[in-house]
Amino acid sequence: MADLIRMTVTRPSPRPYVLATAGIAGLSMLWYLVYRVFGLGPSVPAYFAAPLASATGAVAVLALLRWVPLEPAARTFWRLILVLETTVAIGRGINAGYAVVAYPDPPRTPPAFALFSVVGMIAAIVAICLVPLGRISRADRRKRFLDRCIAFYGCATLLWFAALGPLLDADEPWPLRAKLMVGLALLMSALGISRVAYVPGGPVDRAAVRLVACSGLATAAYAMLAAHAGHHVGVVGQSVLLPLGPVLIVLAVARQWRYTGAVQKREAWLPYLAVVAVDVPLVLTVFGPMGWPGRIVVLMAVFVTLLASLRQLLAYRENQRLIAAQIAAQEQLRWDATHDALTGVANRSLFRDRLALALEADPATVIMVDLDDFKTVNDSLGHNVGDDLLVAVAAVLTEAVGRDGIVARLGGDEFAVLIDDPAVESDAVLGRIGAVLSSSLSEHRLLMHASAGVATAPAGTPLDHLLRDADTALYSAKQRGKDNWVRFAPGMERPVVADAQLGADLRRGLEAGEFRVVYQPLVDLHLNRVIGVEALVRWQHPTRGVVSPADFIPAAERTGLIVPLGRFVLRETCRQAAQWLAEFGPEVLQKAGPNVSARQLHDPDFVDDVRAALADSGLPGELLVLELTESAVLRGQQVSRALHELHDMGVRLALDDFGTGESSLSLLRAFPASIVKLDKSFVDGIELDDDGTPEAAARQAVARAVIQMAGALDLDTVAEGIENEEQAERLRRLGYSLGQGFHLAEPMSPAEVGAMLAGQRVADAA
């Protein structure tokens, strides 16, 4: 709260403190110049500049603590610097008092002065040691520690050689308290210079810490001068050198005052500079008189050299690790670029490269393997289970192929095997592949089947031609049913090309509006009256004429165009049924049923499409009957959710071709069906034997069971494929009231259905 209040008040500038301290130091230097040149007055004024400057520095630190919001670590640092300036100001003030009282022969270092100065130096050393270093890793922490040690001992060696060593070995003895004070000042300088060089940024400005550390160099310079020139240099030290320390402190305050917390660069050059700095006193010591201070210089130089060597060793090891990591990363990138991320086998790119290389000199064989009904696994069990299955398939394929070939995943559930050794029998490899795929796979113990296409080409064949032939063979195997393999033969590609052309024509035909909807009436078998229609799509091709649904519906399924095609049929059926209701009355139709494919049910927008078609046409939802096959219903949770949403909207669902699927009875419990349509296969031949005979009972068994089961479950039933009146009569006796078939009415245009409905209305009126 106090920081917030201070921030709302206009913050003063540190400029007055800088000017005041610099002014005191400047006036003191000017006095010394006059004193030396003209010899005017006593030497006592020399002792007053240092305490005044230190007192001004203490005031500047107090202002910083009062006016500038600081983080806790920074506040602790500056409080300790305040202790430094306060104690030094008191100590130097006592020294000035001694100079006045004992003039003309003041003591060199009064005990009180030394005591206060020592306390201040210790506070500054603690402050520098507590400067936060930032968060770095353990390895970086070791390197930074060695760098700081090198910088510290390099600075310490230079300061020892220049100041403390000569002071300890001076001809004129110095008191222990003076030596201790100078030693602490040098320690503070070396610590500050070396420590902040490796602080990446933090609450305390690095330059401010360095200025604080360099303030001790004023004392070091005074000691160096006194060691070489004797005690009579006290006037120049007191008036010129010592006031510079507070000036640096106040400049540090100004730096912190303007500090924004920006991250600064680490100075990696300092250890090298420290090594060079050690060489200077080392050379001077070697070529000068060798005393015990010189021996210490040599020892410290050796120690710094050892530290630098250790640092270089760490740098070398780190570089080796970085190079190894880079090599490993490059290897991983190369692996990722040529291998499938999920299964770990070769990807399409690597497979094509190996195939191109193989075809340069020898014949090669490609086996395309595609899992049957893999989409059902994804839809019913989830993509995680599907991924586990793909990993398991890749593993067993790799094991089955062994060294005879290369296994690759080309995408989705499609794998490929390259056999580039003419001595390897592809049939043997196929047998091993079939054996491993016929067993349960993955941890989920799934039983899968696969289709395969095999193609062989001589050396020099373009690889795309060989891949095309293998794809053609795979397509042919899929056309024959599940769990088949086919070897490519010339001419096999023609149906595939025709199918591809048909797919392209489908897209164009949709855009050109070449599709139309016809309607096969649904007839009441007792009243011989149309009560509904089933919508069927027809394609009027501009050059091929009418294309059979048996030809273009499978192509639409494979290409995904069944979704927009089914959307067109749905909207057209709703529109036409609503038009008939408006024209002939609400009782004219009870059902309007377009067929729905499994691909449509998987479309996430299908339910919205049905909702929009009903809303745009105005057709009541209960009059729309969506006809679905059992295989379309058995497609997982997404399909189940969509069907229940449609049921909740009032749309009725009819189970088409009932009795031909694998799970008809279980579907009736889980699937919200309203209508069951008996498949044509159970109607064919139902009239051939006389009623009451065992043969007739056998032929009618399924039809009888379905009508009884539907009655128990309260479902409507429709008999499909009625071709003659005898079949219609037998179905009526079994209890069927609704039927479809060419005997009752063939698929017809909307106008023909309208004419039929108009005739029924006239008959009703009569």
Side-chain angles (χ1 to χ4, degrees):
M1 180 61 73
D3 289 343
L4 183 61
I5 294 174
R6 283 197 291 271
M7 290 176 66
T8 58
V9 181
T10 303
R11 191 169 69 185
S13 170
R15 183 181 179 85
Y17 306 106
V18 176
L19 294 176
T21 313
I24 293 171
L27 289 174
S28 180
M29 292 179 186
L30 181 62
W31 173 87
Y32 177 74
L33 181 63
V34 173
Y35 175 78
R36 291 297 296 172
V37 173
F38 299 103
L40 300 178
S43 62
V44 172
Y47 292 89
F48 288 96
L52 287 175
S54 295
T56 306
V59 173
V61 176
L62 275 174
L64 174 70
L65 292 171
R66 178 183 178 187
W67 293 107
V68 179
L70 299 173
E71 295 184 21
R75 185 166 293 277
T76 300
F77 173 83
W78 287 106
R79 283 173 177 168
L80 290 171
I81 301 305
L82 177 62
V83 173
L84 166 68
E85 285 299 276
T86 302
T87 55
V88 169
I90 294 173
R92 290 176 178 173
I94 294 173
N95 193 35
Y98 269 81
V100 172
V101 172
Y103 181 81
D105 189 21
R108 290 188 292 273
T109 53
F113 167 61
L115 176 63
F116 280 102
S117 296
V118 167
V119 171
M121 294 294 180
I122 293 175
I125 291 172
V126 172
I128 292 172
C129 291
L130 292 179
V131 174
L133 296 179
R135 294 182 178 180
I136 55 178
S137 65
R138 178 177 297 179
D140 285 340
R141 191 178 298 115
R142 288 196 298 267
K143 292 184 293 185
R144 298 287 84 82
F145 176 75
L146 280 175
D147 289 339
R148 283 194 295 272
C149 287
I150 295 171
F152 171 76
Y153 285 108
C155 293
T157 303
L158 188 60
L159 294 174
W160 166 270
F161 175 78
L164 188 57
L167 184 67
L168 296 176
D169 198 36
D171 296 333
E172 298 182 62
W174 284 75
L176 178 61
R177 57 182 178 272
K179 298 174 182 178
L180 178 62
M181 184 176 62
V182 173
L184 288 174
L186 298 180
L187 177 63
M188 181 185 77
S189 299
L191 277 175
I193 292 172
S194 61
R195 182 172 176 81
V196 299
Y198 300 100
V199 179
V204 183
D205 182 73
R206 287 197 323 155
V209 179
R210 184 165 295 164
L211 287 169
V212 169
C214 290
S215 67
L217 295 179
T219 303
Y222 183 14
M224 180 176 63
L225 184 64
H228 292 283
H231 293 298
H232 63 275
V233 299
V235 174
V236 64
Q238 292 287 343
S239 60
V240 176
L241 297 177
L242 292 184
L244 295 178
V247 172
L248 296 175
I249 295 291
V250 175
L251 291 175
V253 169
R255 287 283 306 190
Q256 185 68 47
W257 205 294
R258 297 187 296 269
Y259 183 54
T260 60
V263 176
Q264 303 184 32
K265 296 180 180 179
R266 295 193 290 267
E267 298 171 359
W269 49 264
L270 190 58
Y272 304 100
L273 182 61
V275 173
V276 174
V278 168
D279 292 338
V280 176
L282 181 62
V283 172
L284 294 176
T285 300
V286 170
F287 289 99
M290 179 68 74
W292 69 269
R295 292 186 177 91
I296 292 179
V297 168
V298 174
L299 292 176
M300 294 182 72
V302 172
F303 185 63
V304 170
T305 304
L306 290 175
L307 288 176
S309 300
L310 180 60
R311 179 64 178 86
Q312 288 302 110
L313 177 61
L314 289 179
Y316 171 77
R317 292 179 59 186
E318 182 182 9
N319 289 338
Q320 291 298 105
R321 286 195 296 269
L322 290 175
I323 292 172
Q326 185 177 12
I327 293 174
Q330 291 173 350
E331 291 293 333
Q332 186 63 45
L333 286 175
R334 281 194 289 267
W335 173 270
D336 292 341
T338 57
H339 289 77
D340 179 57
L342 176 63
T343 61
V345 299
N347 62 10
R348 181 184 293 272
S349 175
L350 179 59
F351 184 80
R352 289 177 63 88
D353 291 343
R354 294 293 181 86
L355 179 58
L357 184 63
L359 286 172
E360 289 180 0
D362 295 303
T365 298
V366 171
I367 303 174
M368 292 287 188
V369 180
D370 188 86
L371 301 182
D372 297 326
D373 298 327
F374 176 74
K375 191 174 187 302
T376 304
V377 175
N378 268 342
D379 294 338
S380 58
L381 300 179
H383 289 279
N384 289 335
V385 176
D387 289 346
D388 292 342
L389 178 60
L390 291 175
V391 172
V393 169
V396 298
L397 283 177
T398 302
E399 180 182 359
V401 174
R403 297 185 178 182
D404 291 340
I406 300 169
V407 177
R409 181 185 176 211
L410 303 185
D413 61 333
E414 187 176 7
F415 293 83
V417 177
L418 168 62
I419 302 175
D420 54 2
D421 185 356
V424 176
E425 291 290 338
S426 58
D427 290 351
V429 176
L430 273 171
R432 297 199 299 267
I433 291 175
V436 296
L437 291 181
S438 63
S439 59
S440 56
L441 299 173
S442 83
E443 62 181 7
H444 305 284
R445 313 303 297 171
L446 299 176
L447 185 62
M448 293 296 297
H449 298 287
S451 299
V454 187
T456 302
T461 303
L463 66 90
D464 286 327
H465 290 185
L466 178 55
L467 291 176
R468 180 197 61 197
D469 293 345
D471 271 330
T472 300
L474 175 62
Y475 176 82
S476 179
K478 286 283 189 182
Q479 291 294 95
R480 298 184 184 185
K482 303 175 184 179
D483 198 16
N484 276 301
W485 71 271
V486 172
R487 184 176 294 275
F488 176 79
M492 190 179 288
E493 71 278 3
R494 284 193 291 271
V496 178
V497 173
D499 187 72
Q501 182 62 46
L502 184 62
D505 283 352
L506 268 171
R507 188 179 300 277
R508 181 199 53 75
L510 276 171
E511 296 173 353
E514 296 172 3
F515 291 89
R516 58 189 179 88
V517 180
V518 297
Y519 302 90
Q520 184 171 22
L522 179 66
V523 178
D524 186 319
L525 296 178
H526 298 289
L527 301 177
N528 196 26
R529 175 186 180 85
V530 176
I531 58 96
V533 292
E534 178 182 356
L536 304 171
V537 64
R538 295 291 184 265
W539 183 10
Q540 185 66 45
H541 195 278
T543 58
R544 299 171 58 180
V546 178
V547 181
S548 169
D551 294 333
F552 71 80
I553 292 296
E557 289 274 5
R558 286 190 296 272
T559 59
L561 293 175
I562 193 66
V563 174
L565 180 60
R567 186 182 299 119
F568 160 74
V569 174
L570 170 68
R571 297 186 68 86
E572 182 63 20
T573 301
C574 292
R575 184 199 65 77
Q576 184 61 66
Q579 179 178 329
W580 284 329
L581 291 176
E583 183 177 355
F584 301 113
E587 302 298 329
V588 69
L589 284 179
Q590 300 175 18
K591 299 176 178 66
N595 290 278
V596 177
S597 73
R599 291 289 293 270
Q600 287 178 269
L601 293 175
H602 279 288
D603 182 15
D605 297 327
F606 178 67
V607 176
D608 291 335
D609 288 342
V610 174
R611 187 180 289 110
L614 292 174
D616 293 344
S617 64
L619 181 70
E622 61 271 12
L623 297 187
L624 179 63
V625 178
L626 300 181
E627 301 197 7
L628 312 104
T629 62
E630 297 174 40
S631 59
V633 175
L634 291 171
R635 288 302 179 102
Q637 296 181 354
Q638 178 180 337
V639 171
S640 179
R641 284 194 299 270
L643 295 177
H644 281 86
E645 285 185 47
L646 293 168
H647 178 73
D648 294 339
M649 289 167 49
V651 175
R652 287 185 289 175
L653 305 176
L655 202 55
D656 201 5
D657 301 332
F658 186 77
T660 60
E662 299 176 356
S663 304
S664 301
L665 298 180
S666 62
L667 275 179
L668 294 179
R669 300 183 61 183
F671 170 59
S674 300
I675 301 171
V676 173
K677 301 187 75 172
L678 180 68
D679 187 70
K680 181 181 185 299
S681 61
F682 302 113
V683 175
D684 291 341
I686 198 173
E687 80 287 2
L688 295 181
D689 299 298
D690 295 333
D691 264 343
T693 63
E695 291 79 6
R699 290 182 181 277
Q700 301 172 9
V702 174
R704 181 179 290 106
V706 169
I707 191 66
Q708 292 174 351
M709 180 177 57
L713 297 175
D714 196 23
L715 301 175
D716 291 339
T717 53
V718 177
E720 297 183 295
I722 301 176
E723 303 293 340
N724 51 62
E725 181 58 30
E726 290 79 6
Q727 291 177 350
E729 180 59 29
R730 291 288 178 92
L731 290 168
R732 277 193 289 267
R733 294 178 192 172
L734 290 174
Y736 286 87
S737 58
L738 300 176
Q740 280 180 278
F742 280 16
H743 170 69
L744 301 174
E746 296 184 8
M748 55 187 66
S749 67
E752 292 172 322
V753 174
M756 182 178 291
L757 295 177
Q760 286 188 171
R761 188 173 64 171
V762 171
D764 291 342

